[in-house]
Amino acid sequence: MSKFFLEKYSTLDAYVPGEQPQDRKYLKLNTNESPYPPSLKVLDAAFKEASRLNLYSDPESKALTDALASSFGVGPENVLVTNGSDEALNFAFMAFCDSIVFPAVTYGFYPVIANLNGIPYREIPVTSDFRINVDDYIGIGDNIVIANPNAPTGICLSVSDIERIVAGNSGNIVIIDEAYVDFGAESVVPLTKKYDNLIVTQTFSKSRSLAGARLGFATASEELINDMKTIKDSINPYNVNRMTMAAGMAALADSEYYIANCREIEETRVYTVYALEDLGFEILPSKANFVFAKNPKISGGDLYRKLKDAGVLVRYFDKPGLTDFVRITIGTRSQMDTLIEKISEVLS
Ligand code: PMP
């Protein structure tokens, strides 16, 4: 830390993303990326747009906002396009939250953005089987953020459960982070038309194979979106670059390709769960493109290290209550066969 770093940031515990080591070629099952490349139409659209990179991007992201609005059945005034959904989350925290609650087991970025913005937060325990108890959130008198499906568990809440939380906190903001919603859960975007305190964020990073392009968005009432735009325009008006916007539009237009990939990943998830169960793993019920798994024969940390030595990266969380587990991204069928083979070797 330099002597110039402001005191208010001195205790900041920055988010540590899943590692992206460059020392050798790994089978990467640690950051929930899609194993499938962007579609050819997306590559073509991004390439064509590259010739206009001398010009700033549209600060309103109008074409993409319109396309998102029509594909999600909301108005363009209900959509804000962002640089990954992390940015949408940050804007929502900054705009609306002077304090916030979230589940004790969830996406590690929430406490980081809260700390960055000086927002006090409270963690609500999950049940012994890692579920969110909806009743804990009704009338809680605070802003709420919940990932649905949750990370790193993959467990999801139903639309009616989320509606109870939103309706039960009408004086506060409820943010539902749907980063993994396309792998078998149901979106609550339609509820944004009914509730003026609901913000839903989604990303192109997982189901749409664009993690490296950094594209996300928020949907909410026009008033909430306008407030978030004020934050965006005060930080980075050109928050989404031209190639990403073009890629995002083409990805939306090519939804069959992405829907087919999601179904494939769901099938591979079932296949992986059976194979891991055969090896003695216990796995939480996941509706995401990852599974959270533990094996009584080996700690999460040991399994993570041994798999890394064997060329396979999975995610390990060195946090109380999570150390038995590893989180494994669902890749292609053949990638999962490699994983199973390496795990069998480690266990024997
Ligand atoms: N929410 C959750 C629960 C996530 O796991 C992630 C990915 N790390 C994100 C949001 C953010 O993803 P992105 O910024 O790539 O859209």
Side-chain angles (χ1 to χ4, degrees):
M1 195 185 309
S2 80
K3 64 181 179 188
F4 302 107
F5 199 43
L6 295 179
E7 178 62 30
K8 65 178 177 179
Y9 297 131
S10 61
T11 55
L12 204 58
D13 205 2
Y15 180 68
V16 183
E19 61 196 318
Q20 309 278 358
Q22 312 292 328
D23 59 327
R24 62 184 267 201
K25 204 168 170 347
Y26 289 94
L27 169 52
K28 266 192 94 278
L29 302 175
N30 67 330
T31 46
N32 301 339
E33 290 138 328
S34 174
Y36 303 108
S39 77
L40 291 177
K41 288 178 189 157
V42 168
L43 299 183
D44 189 45
F47 182 71
K48 285 198 178 119
E49 195 60 27
S51 67
R52 288 186 276 272
L53 282 177
N54 53 316
L55 303 173
Y56 282 111
S57 59
D58 171 12
E60 301 286 322
S61 301
K62 184 159 179 357
L64 180 55
T65 303
D66 289 351
L68 278 166
S70 70
S71 83
F72 282 84
V74 296
E77 67 283 3
N78 303 118
V79 176
L80 177 66
V81 172
T82 56
N83 191 307
S85 58
D86 280 341
E87 190 183 56
L89 293 164
N90 189 33
F91 291 162
F93 274 51
M94 287 180 78
F96 308 113
C97 302
D98 46 11
S99 66
I100 193 158
V101 300
F102 43 80
V105 175
T106 193
Y107 182 31
F109 203 55
Y110 304 149
V112 175
I113 342 175
N115 282 334
L116 175 66
N117 294 301
I119 301 167
Y121 63 86
R122 198 154 52 91
E123 296 177 298
I124 312 284
V126 291
T127 63
S128 59
D129 55 356
F130 293 92
R131 288 177 189 279
I132 289 169
N133 182 8
V134 174
D135 290 329
D136 290 346
Y137 292 82
I138 309 297
I140 201 166
D142 210 335
N143 304 298
I144 298 169
V145 59
I146 290 177
N148 194 53
N150 198 10
T153 63
I155 298 174
C156 76
L157 293 174
S158 66
V159 168
S160 60
D161 279 342
I162 293 176
E163 182 160 13
R164 277 179 61 213
I165 295 173
V166 177
N169 291 284
S170 55
N172 287 104
I173 291 291
V174 178
I175 305 166
I176 302 296
D177 171 354
E178 294 190 342
Y180 300 104
V181 77
D182 294 329
F183 303 100
E186 198 181 340
S187 174
V188 293
V189 166
L191 293 183
T192 57
K193 294 193 217 168
K194 191 166 163 196
Y195 296 97
D196 66 1
N197 62 324
L198 172 63
I199 300 171
V200 182
T201 60
Q202 284 199 15
T203 181
F204 281 61
S205 296
K206 319 290 178 184
S207 56
R208 292 194 182 80
S209 303
L210 284 174
R214 312 303 303 124
L215 184 60
F217 62 96
T219 53
S221 72
E222 182 173 4
E223 288 74 20
L224 296 187
I225 291 294
N226 282 341
D227 292 340
M228 289 173 71
K229 267 187 198 159
T230 302
I231 302 288
K232 180 211 88 155
D233 288 334
S234 307
I235 297 178
N236 190 5
Y238 307 106
N239 62 332
V240 178
N241 75 71
R242 283 182 164 274
M243 287 172 77
T244 293
M245 273 188 212
M249 300 264 296
L252 277 181
D254 207 4
S255 56
E256 302 93 83
Y257 172 76
Y258 294 101
I259 289 170
N261 289 347
C262 289
R263 296 299 82 87
E264 192 71 33
I265 288 169
E266 284 176 53
E267 279 170 27
T268 309
R269 183 176 67 212
V270 173
Y271 171 81
T272 307
V273 166
Y274 282 132
L276 288 174
E277 281 176 349
D278 280 348
L279 294 173
F281 278 85
E282 280 173 44
I283 297 149
L284 300 187
S286 171
K287 290 282 184 196
N289 66 339
F290 55 82
V291 288
F292 204 45
K294 69 171 179 179
N295 190 310
K297 284 197 206 141
I298 188 165
S299 72
D302 280 347
L303 180 57
Y304 155 76
R305 278 182 290 277
K306 289 187 173 160
L307 283 175
K308 186 171 178 181
D309 289 345
V312 180
L313 286 179
V314 297
R315 191 88 190 262
Y316 166 67
F317 298 91
D318 192 7
K319 272 189 73 177
L322 304 185
T323 52
D324 288 344
F325 288 84
V326 292
R327 191 195 68 191
I328 304 168
T329 302
I330 304 297
T332 62
R333 181 73 84 100
S334 90
Q335 288 176 331
M336 301 327 275
D337 283 335
T338 306
L339 167 89
I340 304 296
E341 184 192 312
K342 299 292 180 193
I343 291 183
S344 313
E345 285 167 20
V346 166
L347 291 177
S348 53

Short mmCIF file of all heavy atoms in Angstrom, two decimals, residues 8-9 11-12 86-102 109-123 142-145 172-173 175 231:
data_model
loop_
_atom_site.label_atom_id
_atom_site.label_comp_id
_atom_site.label_asym_id
_atom_site.label_seq_id
_atom_site.Cartn_x
_atom_site.Cartn_y
_atom_site.Cartn_z
N LYS A 8 -9.47 5.68 4.08
CA LYS A 8 -10.79 5.02 4.03
C LYS A 8 -10.75 3.71 3.25
O LYS A 8 -11.65 2.90 3.36
CB LYS A 8 -11.85 5.97 3.44
CG LYS A 8 -11.63 6.36 2.01
CD LYS A 8 -12.77 7.26 1.52
CE LYS A 8 -12.51 7.73 0.09
NZ LYS A 8 -13.55 8.55 -0.46
N TYR A 9 -9.70 3.53 2.42
CA TYR A 9 -9.60 2.28 1.66
C TYR A 9 -8.62 1.29 2.29
O TYR A 9 -8.43 0.19 1.76
CB TYR A 9 -9.14 2.55 0.23
CG TYR A 9 -10.10 3.39 -0.58
CD1 TYR A 9 -9.66 4.50 -1.30
CD2 TYR A 9 -11.46 3.08 -0.64
CE1 TYR A 9 -10.53 5.27 -2.05
CE2 TYR A 9 -12.34 3.85 -1.38
CZ TYR A 9 -11.87 4.95 -2.08
OH TYR A 9 -12.74 5.69 -2.82
N THR A 11 -8.64 -0.66 4.72
CA THR A 11 -9.11 -1.98 5.18
C THR A 11 -9.87 -2.72 4.08
O THR A 11 -10.45 -3.77 4.32
CB THR A 11 -10.04 -1.82 6.40
OG1 THR A 11 -11.08 -0.93 6.04
CG2 THR A 11 -9.31 -1.31 7.62
N LEU A 12 -9.86 -2.14 2.88
CA LEU A 12 -10.61 -2.76 1.78
C LEU A 12 -10.03 -4.13 1.45
O LEU A 12 -8.84 -4.28 1.22
CB LEU A 12 -10.49 -1.85 0.54
CG LEU A 12 -11.59 -1.95 -0.50
CD1 LEU A 12 -12.95 -1.65 0.10
CD2 LEU A 12 -11.29 -0.96 -1.63
N ASP A 86 -21.51 -7.16 -12.74
CA ASP A 86 -20.88 -6.58 -11.54
C ASP A 86 -21.08 -5.06 -11.51
O ASP A 86 -21.28 -4.47 -10.45
CB ASP A 86 -19.37 -6.87 -11.53
CG ASP A 86 -19.05 -8.28 -11.05
OD1 ASP A 86 -19.91 -8.91 -10.42
OD2 ASP A 86 -17.93 -8.75 -11.32
N GLU A 87 -21.00 -4.44 -12.69
CA GLU A 87 -21.16 -2.99 -12.73
C GLU A 87 -22.60 -2.60 -12.39
O GLU A 87 -22.85 -1.62 -11.67
CB GLU A 87 -20.77 -2.42 -14.10
CG GLU A 87 -20.69 -0.91 -14.07
CD GLU A 87 -20.37 -0.31 -15.42
OE1 GLU A 87 -21.08 -0.57 -16.40
OE2 GLU A 87 -19.38 0.46 -15.50
N ALA A 88 -23.56 -3.38 -12.89
CA ALA A 88 -24.98 -3.09 -12.57
C ALA A 88 -25.20 -3.20 -11.06
O ALA A 88 -25.89 -2.39 -10.44
CB ALA A 88 -25.89 -4.07 -13.31
N LEU A 89 -24.58 -4.23 -10.45
CA LEU A 89 -24.72 -4.40 -9.00
C LEU A 89 -24.12 -3.21 -8.26
O LEU A 89 -24.72 -2.66 -7.33
CB LEU A 89 -24.02 -5.70 -8.56
CG LEU A 89 -24.67 -7.00 -9.06
CD1 LEU A 89 -23.72 -8.19 -8.92
CD2 LEU A 89 -25.97 -7.27 -8.30
N ASN A 90 -22.95 -2.79 -8.73
CA ASN A 90 -22.29 -1.65 -8.08
C ASN A 90 -23.16 -0.39 -8.19
O ASN A 90 -23.34 0.34 -7.21
CB ASN A 90 -20.91 -1.42 -8.69
CG ASN A 90 -20.10 -0.40 -7.91
OD1 ASN A 90 -20.23 -0.30 -6.69
ND2 ASN A 90 -19.30 0.38 -8.60
N PHE A 91 -23.71 -0.14 -9.39
CA PHE A 91 -24.57 1.04 -9.56
C PHE A 91 -25.79 0.97 -8.62
O PHE A 91 -26.19 1.97 -8.03
CB PHE A 91 -25.07 1.16 -11.00
CG PHE A 91 -24.00 1.51 -12.01
CD1 PHE A 91 -24.22 1.29 -13.37
CD2 PHE A 91 -22.79 2.06 -11.62
CE1 PHE A 91 -23.25 1.61 -14.32
CE2 PHE A 91 -21.81 2.39 -12.55
CZ PHE A 91 -22.04 2.16 -13.91
N ALA A 92 -26.37 -0.22 -8.50
CA ALA A 92 -27.56 -0.36 -7.64
C ALA A 92 -27.20 -0.14 -6.18
O ALA A 92 -27.91 0.55 -5.44
CB ALA A 92 -28.19 -1.74 -7.84
N PHE A 93 -26.06 -0.70 -5.75
CA PHE A 93 -25.62 -0.47 -4.36
C PHE A 93 -25.41 1.03 -4.14
O PHE A 93 -25.85 1.60 -3.15
CB PHE A 93 -24.30 -1.20 -4.09
CG PHE A 93 -24.42 -2.65 -3.66
CD1 PHE A 93 -25.17 -3.56 -4.37
CD2 PHE A 93 -23.72 -3.12 -2.55
CE1 PHE A 93 -25.25 -4.90 -4.00
CE2 PHE A 93 -23.78 -4.45 -2.16
CZ PHE A 93 -24.55 -5.34 -2.88
N MET A 94 -24.69 1.66 -5.08
CA MET A 94 -24.36 3.09 -4.90
C MET A 94 -25.60 3.96 -4.88
O MET A 94 -25.69 4.91 -4.10
CB MET A 94 -23.45 3.55 -6.04
CG MET A 94 -22.05 3.03 -5.95
SD MET A 94 -21.07 3.66 -7.34
CE MET A 94 -20.76 5.32 -6.78
N ALA A 95 -26.55 3.65 -5.79
CA ALA A 95 -27.71 4.53 -5.94
C ALA A 95 -28.69 4.41 -4.78
O ALA A 95 -29.31 5.40 -4.40
CB ALA A 95 -28.42 4.22 -7.26
N PHE A 96 -28.86 3.21 -4.24
CA PHE A 96 -30.02 2.98 -3.37
C PHE A 96 -29.72 2.47 -1.97
O PHE A 96 -30.63 2.43 -1.14
CB PHE A 96 -30.98 1.97 -4.03
CG PHE A 96 -31.35 2.34 -5.44
CD1 PHE A 96 -30.94 1.56 -6.51
CD2 PHE A 96 -32.10 3.48 -5.70
CE1 PHE A 96 -31.26 1.90 -7.82
CE2 PHE A 96 -32.44 3.83 -7.00
CZ PHE A 96 -32.01 3.04 -8.06
N CYS A 97 -28.50 2.03 -1.71
CA CYS A 97 -28.30 1.27 -0.48
C CYS A 97 -27.45 2.03 0.54
O CYS A 97 -26.26 2.26 0.30
CB CYS A 97 -27.66 -0.08 -0.79
SG CYS A 97 -28.65 -1.03 -1.95
N ASP A 98 -28.08 2.42 1.66
CA ASP A 98 -27.26 2.96 2.74
C ASP A 98 -26.96 1.87 3.75
O ASP A 98 -26.18 2.06 4.67
CB ASP A 98 -27.89 4.22 3.38
CG ASP A 98 -29.36 4.02 3.66
OD1 ASP A 98 -29.84 2.87 3.56
OD2 ASP A 98 -30.03 5.02 3.98
N SER A 99 -27.60 0.73 3.57
CA SER A 99 -27.23 -0.50 4.26
C SER A 99 -27.85 -1.63 3.45
O SER A 99 -28.74 -1.39 2.62
CB SER A 99 -27.72 -0.52 5.71
OG SER A 99 -29.13 -0.55 5.72
N ILE A 100 -27.40 -2.86 3.69
CA ILE A 100 -27.90 -3.97 2.86
C ILE A 100 -27.72 -5.29 3.60
O ILE A 100 -26.83 -5.40 4.47
CB ILE A 100 -27.20 -3.98 1.48
CG1 ILE A 100 -27.93 -4.91 0.49
CG2 ILE A 100 -25.71 -4.36 1.58
CD1 ILE A 100 -27.66 -4.60 -0.98
N VAL A 101 -28.57 -6.25 3.28
CA VAL A 101 -28.39 -7.62 3.80
C VAL A 101 -28.30 -8.59 2.64
O VAL A 101 -28.82 -8.33 1.56
CB VAL A 101 -29.55 -8.05 4.74
CG1 VAL A 101 -29.68 -7.15 5.94
CG2 VAL A 101 -30.87 -8.15 3.99
N PHE A 102 -27.61 -9.70 2.90
CA PHE A 102 -27.55 -10.79 1.92
C PHE A 102 -27.25 -12.09 2.66
O PHE A 102 -26.84 -12.07 3.83
CB PHE A 102 -26.52 -10.50 0.81
CG PHE A 102 -25.21 -9.92 1.27
CD1 PHE A 102 -24.21 -10.73 1.80
CD2 PHE A 102 -24.97 -8.55 1.18
CE1 PHE A 102 -23.00 -10.19 2.21
CE2 PHE A 102 -23.76 -8.00 1.60
CZ PHE A 102 -22.77 -8.82 2.11
N PHE A 109 -18.64 -10.92 -4.10
CA PHE A 109 -18.47 -9.53 -4.52
C PHE A 109 -19.36 -8.57 -3.70
O PHE A 109 -19.04 -7.39 -3.59
CB PHE A 109 -18.80 -9.43 -6.01
CG PHE A 109 -18.18 -8.26 -6.71
CD1 PHE A 109 -16.82 -8.03 -6.67
CD2 PHE A 109 -18.96 -7.36 -7.43
CE1 PHE A 109 -16.24 -6.94 -7.32
CE2 PHE A 109 -18.39 -6.27 -8.09
CZ PHE A 109 -17.04 -6.07 -8.03
N TYR A 110 -20.46 -9.09 -3.13
CA TYR A 110 -21.39 -8.18 -2.42
C TYR A 110 -20.72 -7.46 -1.24
O TYR A 110 -20.82 -6.24 -1.14
CB TYR A 110 -22.65 -8.92 -1.95
CG TYR A 110 -23.43 -9.65 -3.02
CD1 TYR A 110 -24.15 -10.80 -2.72
CD2 TYR A 110 -23.48 -9.19 -4.33
CE1 TYR A 110 -24.88 -11.48 -3.68
CE2 TYR A 110 -24.20 -9.87 -5.32
CZ TYR A 110 -24.89 -11.02 -4.98
OH TYR A 110 -25.61 -11.69 -5.93
N PRO A 111 -20.04 -8.19 -0.34
CA PRO A 111 -19.40 -7.45 0.75
C PRO A 111 -18.31 -6.49 0.25
O PRO A 111 -18.09 -5.44 0.85
CB PRO A 111 -18.78 -8.56 1.62
CG PRO A 111 -18.84 -9.81 0.83
CD PRO A 111 -19.92 -9.65 -0.19
N VAL A 112 -17.68 -6.85 -0.87
CA VAL A 112 -16.62 -5.98 -1.39
C VAL A 112 -17.21 -4.66 -1.89
O VAL A 112 -16.72 -3.58 -1.55
CB VAL A 112 -15.85 -6.70 -2.54
CG1 VAL A 112 -14.83 -5.76 -3.16
CG2 VAL A 112 -15.18 -7.96 -2.03
N ILE A 113 -18.30 -4.73 -2.68
CA ILE A 113 -18.87 -3.45 -3.16
C ILE A 113 -19.46 -2.67 -1.99
O ILE A 113 -19.41 -1.44 -2.00
CB ILE A 113 -20.02 -3.58 -4.20
CG1 ILE A 113 -20.12 -4.94 -4.87
CG2 ILE A 113 -19.97 -2.47 -5.22
CD1 ILE A 113 -21.36 -5.02 -5.77
N ALA A 114 -20.02 -3.38 -1.02
CA ALA A 114 -20.56 -2.68 0.15
C ALA A 114 -19.42 -1.92 0.84
O ALA A 114 -19.52 -0.71 1.09
CB ALA A 114 -21.23 -3.67 1.10
N ASN A 115 -18.31 -2.60 1.09
CA ASN A 115 -17.18 -1.94 1.77
C ASN A 115 -16.64 -0.78 0.94
O ASN A 115 -16.35 0.29 1.48
CB ASN A 115 -16.05 -2.94 2.01
CG ASN A 115 -16.35 -3.84 3.20
OD1 ASN A 115 -17.10 -3.45 4.09
ND2 ASN A 115 -15.79 -5.04 3.18
N LEU A 116 -16.51 -0.99 -0.35
CA LEU A 116 -15.96 0.07 -1.21
C LEU A 116 -16.80 1.35 -1.08
O LEU A 116 -16.26 2.45 -1.06
CB LEU A 116 -15.96 -0.40 -2.67
CG LEU A 116 -15.52 0.65 -3.70
CD1 LEU A 116 -14.06 1.01 -3.52
CD2 LEU A 116 -15.75 0.14 -5.12
N ASN A 117 -18.12 1.16 -1.00
CA ASN A 117 -19.01 2.32 -0.96
C ASN A 117 -19.39 2.73 0.47
O ASN A 117 -20.28 3.56 0.66
CB ASN A 117 -20.28 2.01 -1.77
CG ASN A 117 -19.97 1.85 -3.24
OD1 ASN A 117 -19.46 2.77 -3.87
ND2 ASN A 117 -20.25 0.69 -3.81
N GLY A 118 -18.72 2.13 1.45
CA GLY A 118 -18.99 2.49 2.84
C GLY A 118 -20.41 2.11 3.28
O GLY A 118 -21.01 2.80 4.09
N ILE A 119 -20.93 1.02 2.71
CA ILE A 119 -22.29 0.58 3.04
C ILE A 119 -22.23 -0.54 4.09
O ILE A 119 -21.67 -1.61 3.82
CB ILE A 119 -23.00 0.03 1.77
CG1 ILE A 119 -23.06 1.10 0.67
CG2 ILE A 119 -24.39 -0.50 2.10
CD1 ILE A 119 -23.46 0.55 -0.70
N PRO A 120 -22.78 -0.31 5.28
CA PRO A 120 -22.79 -1.40 6.27
C PRO A 120 -23.66 -2.55 5.78
O PRO A 120 -24.70 -2.31 5.16
CB PRO A 120 -23.39 -0.78 7.53
CG PRO A 120 -23.87 0.57 7.16
CD PRO A 120 -23.46 0.90 5.77
N TYR A 121 -23.24 -3.79 6.04
CA TYR A 121 -24.04 -4.93 5.59
C TYR A 121 -24.18 -5.96 6.69
O TYR A 121 -23.39 -5.99 7.64
CB TYR A 121 -23.42 -5.58 4.34
CG TYR A 121 -22.05 -6.17 4.54
CD1 TYR A 121 -21.90 -7.48 5.02
CD2 TYR A 121 -20.91 -5.44 4.25
CE1 TYR A 121 -20.63 -8.04 5.20
CE2 TYR A 121 -19.65 -5.99 4.44
CZ TYR A 121 -19.52 -7.28 4.91
OH TYR A 121 -18.27 -7.83 5.10
N ARG A 122 -25.22 -6.78 6.55
CA ARG A 122 -25.48 -7.85 7.50
C ARG A 122 -25.69 -9.13 6.71
O ARG A 122 -26.33 -9.11 5.64
CB ARG A 122 -26.76 -7.50 8.27
CG ARG A 122 -26.96 -8.25 9.56
CD ARG A 122 -27.84 -7.40 10.51
NE ARG A 122 -29.07 -6.95 9.90
CZ ARG A 122 -30.22 -7.62 9.94
NH1 ARG A 122 -30.30 -8.79 10.54
NH2 ARG A 122 -31.32 -7.12 9.40
N GLU A 123 -25.12 -10.22 7.22
CA GLU A 123 -25.27 -11.50 6.53
C GLU A 123 -26.30 -12.35 7.25
O GLU A 123 -26.22 -12.52 8.47
CB GLU A 123 -23.92 -12.23 6.49
CG GLU A 123 -22.89 -11.46 5.67
CD GLU A 123 -21.53 -12.12 5.67
OE1 GLU A 123 -20.95 -12.24 6.77
OE2 GLU A 123 -21.05 -12.51 4.61
N ASP A 142 -34.63 -3.62 5.48
CA ASP A 142 -33.32 -3.27 4.92
C ASP A 142 -33.32 -3.61 3.42
O ASP A 142 -34.20 -4.35 2.96
CB ASP A 142 -32.22 -4.08 5.62
CG ASP A 142 -30.90 -3.33 5.66
OD1 ASP A 142 -30.67 -2.47 4.78
OD2 ASP A 142 -30.10 -3.59 6.57
N ASN A 143 -32.35 -3.07 2.69
CA ASN A 143 -32.20 -3.46 1.29
C ASN A 143 -31.62 -4.87 1.24
O ASN A 143 -30.92 -5.29 2.17
CB ASN A 143 -31.28 -2.48 0.57
CG ASN A 143 -31.80 -1.06 0.71
OD1 ASN A 143 -32.90 -0.75 0.24
ND2 ASN A 143 -31.04 -0.20 1.38
N ILE A 144 -31.92 -5.57 0.15
CA ILE A 144 -31.56 -7.00 0.07
C ILE A 144 -30.92 -7.28 -1.30
O ILE A 144 -31.40 -6.76 -2.32
CB ILE A 144 -32.84 -7.87 0.19
CG1 ILE A 144 -33.52 -7.65 1.54
CG2 ILE A 144 -32.52 -9.36 -0.02
CD1 ILE A 144 -34.92 -8.27 1.64
N VAL A 145 -29.87 -8.10 -1.30
CA VAL A 145 -29.41 -8.65 -2.58
C VAL A 145 -29.33 -10.16 -2.45
O VAL A 145 -28.80 -10.68 -1.46
CB VAL A 145 -28.07 -8.03 -3.07
CG1 VAL A 145 -26.94 -8.23 -2.09
CG2 VAL A 145 -27.68 -8.60 -4.44
N ASN A 172 -38.10 -1.00 0.72
CA ASN A 172 -36.66 -1.16 0.46
C ASN A 172 -36.43 -1.76 -0.92
O ASN A 172 -37.33 -2.35 -1.51
CB ASN A 172 -36.03 -2.08 1.52
CG ASN A 172 -35.91 -1.39 2.86
OD1 ASN A 172 -36.67 -1.65 3.78
ND2 ASN A 172 -34.96 -0.47 2.97
N ILE A 173 -35.18 -1.62 -1.36
CA ILE A 173 -34.80 -2.19 -2.66
C ILE A 173 -34.45 -3.67 -2.50
O ILE A 173 -33.76 -4.05 -1.54
CB ILE A 173 -33.57 -1.43 -3.22
CG1 ILE A 173 -33.96 0.00 -3.61
CG2 ILE A 173 -32.92 -2.17 -4.38
CD1 ILE A 173 -34.86 0.10 -4.82
N ILE A 175 -32.59 -6.53 -4.78
CA ILE A 175 -31.82 -6.80 -6.01
C ILE A 175 -31.75 -8.32 -6.18
O ILE A 175 -31.30 -9.03 -5.28
CB ILE A 175 -30.39 -6.23 -5.91
CG1 ILE A 175 -30.41 -4.74 -5.58
CG2 ILE A 175 -29.63 -6.49 -7.22
CD1 ILE A 175 -29.04 -4.20 -5.14
N ILE A 231 -25.88 7.56 -11.87
CA ILE A 231 -24.62 7.04 -11.32
C ILE A 231 -23.67 6.68 -12.47
O ILE A 231 -22.51 7.07 -12.49
CB ILE A 231 -24.87 5.80 -10.42
CG1 ILE A 231 -25.82 6.13 -9.27
CG2 ILE A 231 -23.54 5.23 -9.92
CD1 ILE A 231 -25.27 7.00 -8.19
#
